[in-house]
Amino acid sequence: MRIKDEQLKRFILDAGLITKADIAAAEKIAKDENRSLSEALIAHGHMTEDDMRRVESYVLGIPFVSLKDEKIDFETLTLIPEPVARTHNIIAYRKSENTLEVAMLDTADLPAIDFIKKKVGLKIQPRLTDTDSMRNALRQYQKTLKDEFGDIIMKDAKELKVLSEEEGGEASEKELKQMAEDLPVVRIVDTLLRHAIIQGASDIHIEPMEQEVLVRYRTDGILHDAMKLPKIAADSIVARLKVLSNLKLDQKRLPQDGRFKMEMDGQKVAFRVSMLPVFYGEKVVMRLLRENRSGFSLEGIGFHGSTLDRIHRATRSTTGIILVTGPTGSGKSTTLYTILDILNTPEVNISTIEDPIEYQMPRLNQSQVKPDIGFTFAAGLRSLMRQDPDIIMVGEIRDEETASLAINAALTGHLVLATVHTNSAAGTVARLIDMGAESFLMVSTLRVAIGQRLVRKLADDKLPYILTKAEREELAKKVDMDHVLNTLKEEGIVKADATWNDVSFYHPKVKGETEDGYKGRMGIHEVLEMSPTIKDMVMQDKTGDEIEAQARKEGMLTMLEDGIFKAAQGLTSVEEVLRVINE
């Protein structure tokens, strides 16, 4: 059962949740984009999905439950299998003799309710809940997985076969293959990979040491020790991963790179595997690439206000270059794919050349570079030009040839999206000129340069405080605090007469809802638009610092200022922003 648009509008206006002007704007968007009013309100930031669920709960008379701090009885929780709970966002949290109360994000998911009813043979009472409650409940499955993992390791490690090399000879490929297909090591590796996916890890490190094997996960950009395994497990695990990645089992002295995929709970994850010989064996690092990820919006990944307007202006152009810059792991690919998602309509032909293909998107013609056979970015880009593209995405501009081809593509009527490795948006121009790009061609083609980093988001149980005068003065050495405050006022985050004494910042609550007080990540950005003045400065070979100073005069928020802006919204902390910018 859903709320009708008219009913929703009446309730929201009566409750004073949103202004009439915002409702009218959302109604127009809903009509133009053929969406419901609730979808339009959420997509354009007037309400969150959780706000809408609370409204639904009130209007439809469905009880709302919060499970944020609730420990659910394990027997009740597991009445719904974990894959079903994750796929349908449905949690069994209270059971009586004849009924089972389930918390859901969408109580209109009748097939899920019907499935649970048939499985448990009880009357199902659906309740609405919020995203944080759902995360907390799903995490209670994870904790049991962690305990189960330890048991599996200790049990299976005792059963691992250790190949004897007493005679000084290396184990043969046949013996290594047998070792890799041994049931205990298959279970260990499978559990380790599944656990990393559930934890939301972006990388897995398996590091052989003198007495043990250290397994570490990178979560939200920070490496954590996940577990320690017995030393005898090292060779078996490496052999198993080589079999999965189709690598040479008996090659232990040279680095190897491979790839494999696995599916879990309907989610496809590709593992990019790198093997490197180290003193105590072979170190394995796996990058997890979650495929078929969509539904991102520019607002959702952290763009707002004038930065958002600049990108929208650039995407409305049919020619030119949009560049995203930042270090490895700063979310450049996510930003590019989000822009591509906006541009991906039936009227255009979009082709990409990538290394690797991180997300698979429908209607995109995606090509993977293979330098070992001569299929480089430059060669791929040259071929793409003969494929009648309207929009081209180049995974990375690394050399003069690729830069020259990208600029020529933009000059000949194509919109080009690409990434470059520099420290700031202003440094992008200088980097391309260093690569050999002509400055007069650069100013003709470059629309915007987007610099970005990823910062960790604060968990909900954060601790508020007001910046002291000394802290403000320290920040003012690097940040135009007046500009940040004015931006907060312009975007309606704080009142028009607010001062820094009225703005709350937040510290993470350690050992609270999460171990370190953070949960998830978001982008901080700076968007440099090629204004006439900046074009003249590029032609005059001005430095990156001079170009940045002019861009700031024209209203650009730097990444650090955008970070302080988001800290003032309570999304992250000042310490986290400074940590990331100073790295």
Side-chain angles (χ1 to χ4, degrees):
M1 192 176 173
R2 304 269 183 204
I3 311 176
K4 290 180 180 162
D5 284 358
E6 200 52 48
Q7 195 179 7
L8 176 63
K9 176 184 170 182
R10 199 163 53 244
F11 176 82
I12 287 172
L13 287 174
D14 287 348
L17 299 175
I18 293 176
T19 63
K20 280 186 180 178
D22 285 342
I23 280 278
E27 281 185 305
K28 184 177 184 307
I29 290 160
K31 189 178 177 185
D32 293 347
E33 298 179 3
N34 196 24
R35 295 180 175 199
S36 68
L37 179 59
S38 63
E39 287 170 338
L41 286 166
I42 292 165
H44 291 269
H46 297 300
M47 293 180 80
T48 66
E49 288 186 6
D50 286 340
D51 291 338
M52 194 59 74
R53 286 188 192 106
R54 284 184 170 83
V55 169
E56 250 180 73
S57 164
Y58 191 88
V59 174
L60 299 175
I62 298 169
F64 189 93
V65 294
S66 174
L67 303 174
K68 257 162 70 172
D69 304 312
E70 191 161 324
K71 179 80 179 80
I72 302 167
D73 176 66
F74 185 59
E75 276 187 33
T76 305
L77 182 72
T78 50
L79 285 171
I80 299 177
E82 186 185 356
V84 176
R86 285 186 180 279
T87 307
H88 294 277
N89 285 307
I90 180 167
I91 292 290
Y93 72 96
R94 189 177 295 147
K95 178 179 175 284
S96 64
E97 197 176 332
N98 303 314
T99 61
L100 180 67
E101 291 182 58
V102 295
M104 306 178 71
L105 294 183
D106 179 11
T107 51
D109 188 352
L110 299 177
I113 295 171
D114 198 42
F115 171 81
I116 304 300
K117 187 177 180 181
K118 285 175 184 167
K119 185 180 183 304
V120 299
L122 298 168
K123 183 185 174 188
I124 305 298
Q125 293 184 331
R127 309 283 187 248
L128 272 167
T129 191
D130 56 30
T131 336
D132 282 339
S133 292
M134 188 57 65
R135 281 198 200 111
N136 175 55
L138 289 171
R139 206 180 293 125
Q140 293 183 39
Y141 282 106
Q142 286 177 31
K143 287 173 185 168
T144 63
L145 177 68
K146 208 166 187 179
D147 299 337
E148 177 196 1
F149 190 89
D151 295 341
I152 287 174
I153 288 298
M154 295 324 293
K155 182 171 172 288
D156 289 344
K158 290 172 189 168
E159 298 172 23
L160 289 173
K161 292 174 186 168
V162 183
L163 296 180
S164 172
E165 293 180 14
E166 286 174 13
E167 294 171 18
E170 293 270 325
S172 71
E173 188 167 359
K174 186 181 176 185
E175 288 174 314
L176 286 165
K177 195 154 196 249
Q178 282 176 341
M179 178 197 281
E181 288 168 357
D182 202 20
L183 191 58
V185 76
V186 170
R187 282 201 301 256
I188 288 172
V189 170
D190 185 56
T191 313
L192 190 149
L193 299 178
R194 285 172 56 83
H195 191 50
I197 293 169
I198 290 170
Q199 290 286 336
S202 61
D203 301 85
I204 306 170
H205 292 233
I206 299 170
E207 303 170 4
M209 305 178 88
E210 188 177 7
Q211 303 293 340
E212 61 203 4
V213 179
L214 179 62
V215 179
R216 300 199 283 171
Y217 293 154
R218 187 180 294 281
T219 311
D220 292 340
I222 308 288
L223 264 176
H224 300 281
D225 287 7
M227 59 207 72
K228 289 174 182 172
L229 311 181
K231 177 70 176 171
I232 57 164
D235 289 344
S236 304
I237 289 171
V238 169
R240 176 66 188 157
L241 290 169
K242 282 181 178 177
V243 166
L244 290 172
S245 314
N246 204 20
L247 300 176
K248 292 179 181 174
L249 283 162
D250 54 351
Q251 177 57 273
K252 297 184 178 185
R253 292 177 295 177
L254 289 173
Q256 295 190 77
D257 294 314
R259 193 178 172 112
F260 66 91
K261 287 184 185 181
M262 71 181 285
E263 190 167 343
M264 177 179 153
D265 302 346
Q267 181 186 19
K268 286 182 184 170
V269 180
F271 291 82
R272 201 167 80 210
V273 182
S274 169
M275 303 240 170
L276 181 73
V278 293
F279 190 75
Y280 290 112
E282 289 176 274
K283 178 183 173 182
V284 185
V285 176
M286 290 178 277
R287 165 66 57 91
L288 281 69
L289 303 168
R290 288 159 177 82
E291 297 186 355
N292 304 319
R293 288 174 75 174
S294 60
F296 288 118
S297 66
L298 288 171
E299 294 92 338
I301 59 174
F303 289 98
H304 60 93
S306 61
T307 59
L308 187 61
D309 294 339
R310 289 172 185 189
I311 293 173
H312 280 310
R313 276 197 293 275
T315 57
R316 284 195 287 271
S317 304
T318 52
T319 63
I321 302 178
I322 296 172
L323 287 177
V324 184
T325 182
T328 303
S330 60
K332 298 188 296 295
S333 296
T334 301
T335 299
L336 281 185
Y337 280 107
T338 304
I339 295 171
L340 283 178
D341 205 21
I342 294 166
L343 296 169
N344 191 6
T345 61
E347 298 83 40
V348 294
N349 173 22
I350 302 177
S351 294
T352 77
I353 177 83
E354 305 172 58
D355 182 24
I357 295 170
E358 296 202 18
Y359 307 137
Q360 290 176 348
M361 289 181 73
R363 304 183 69 93
L364 261 62
N365 308 291
Q366 295 174 270
S367 303
Q368 164 81 49
V369 301
K370 294 184 177 69
D372 49 329
I373 58 168
F375 186 32
T376 59
F377 278 114
L381 192 46
R382 211 176 269 112
S383 298
L384 286 190
M385 294 295 288
R386 295 191 283 274
Q387 291 276 314
D388 184 33
D390 299 292
I391 297 163
I392 297 168
M393 195 263 263
V394 184
E396 188 184 336
I397 295 178
R398 294 177 181 169
D399 51 47
E400 182 180 348
E401 191 180 6
T402 312
S404 173
L405 286 165
I407 289 169
N408 284 332
L411 284 169
T412 53
H414 304 88
L415 183 62
V416 179
L417 282 71
T419 71
V420 185
H421 278 281
T422 60
N423 289 328
S424 66
T428 307
V429 178
R431 178 81 184 100
L432 288 175
I433 290 170
D434 285 346
M435 279 186 200
E438 296 285 357
S439 54
F440 69 92
L441 294 177
M442 280 291 308
V443 298
S444 309
T445 54
L446 185 60
R447 297 279 176 261
V448 291
I450 303 164
Q452 68 178 64
R453 299 284 189 279
L454 290 178
V455 294
R456 290 178 295 164
K457 293 199 291 189
L458 286 165
D460 283 345
D461 55 349
K462 51 202 171 191
L463 307 168
Y465 72 101
I466 302 291
L467 284 176
T468 63
K469 189 168 184 287
E471 287 169 332
R472 290 203 301 273
E473 286 169 357
E474 189 60 33
L475 276 176
K477 293 175 185 174
K478 302 174 185 175
V479 176
D480 184 344
M481 296 294 280
D482 290 340
H483 184 28
V484 176
L485 187 60
N486 287 335
T487 308
L488 287 163
K489 289 175 183 178
E490 283 165 19
E491 296 190 27
I493 309 296
V494 299
K495 290 179 182 174
D497 59 352
T499 68
W500 282 118
N501 291 325
D502 305 313
V503 179
S504 287
F505 287 79
Y506 296 86
H507 289 306
K509 184 179 179 184
V510 181
K511 303 282 185 187
E513 185 185 332
T514 60
E515 194 68 21
D516 56 7
Y518 294 97
K519 189 163 63 175
R521 286 195 292 176
M522 69 184 303
I524 54 173
H525 309 93
E526 58 189 24
V527 180
L528 174 79
E529 193 169 36
M530 292 297 282
S531 67
T533 311
I534 290 175
K535 286 180 180 179
D536 290 342
M537 292 178 77
V538 173
M539 293 296 292
Q540 293 162 23
D541 291 331
K542 298 288 185 186
T543 64
D545 287 345
E546 289 172 306
I547 290 170
E548 183 175 297
Q550 177 59 31
R552 291 177 74 173
K553 281 181 195 169
E554 293 175 9
M556 180 184 88
L557 278 176
T558 65
M559 270 183 283
L560 182 51
E561 286 165 353
D562 192 40
I564 301 300
F565 176 94
K566 282 164 181 155
Q569 286 180 286
L571 299 173
T572 187
S573 67
V574 174
E575 307 92 82
E576 173 67 5
V577 172
L578 293 173
R579 178 190 72 81
V580 169
I581 294 294
N582 292 331
E583 274 182 352

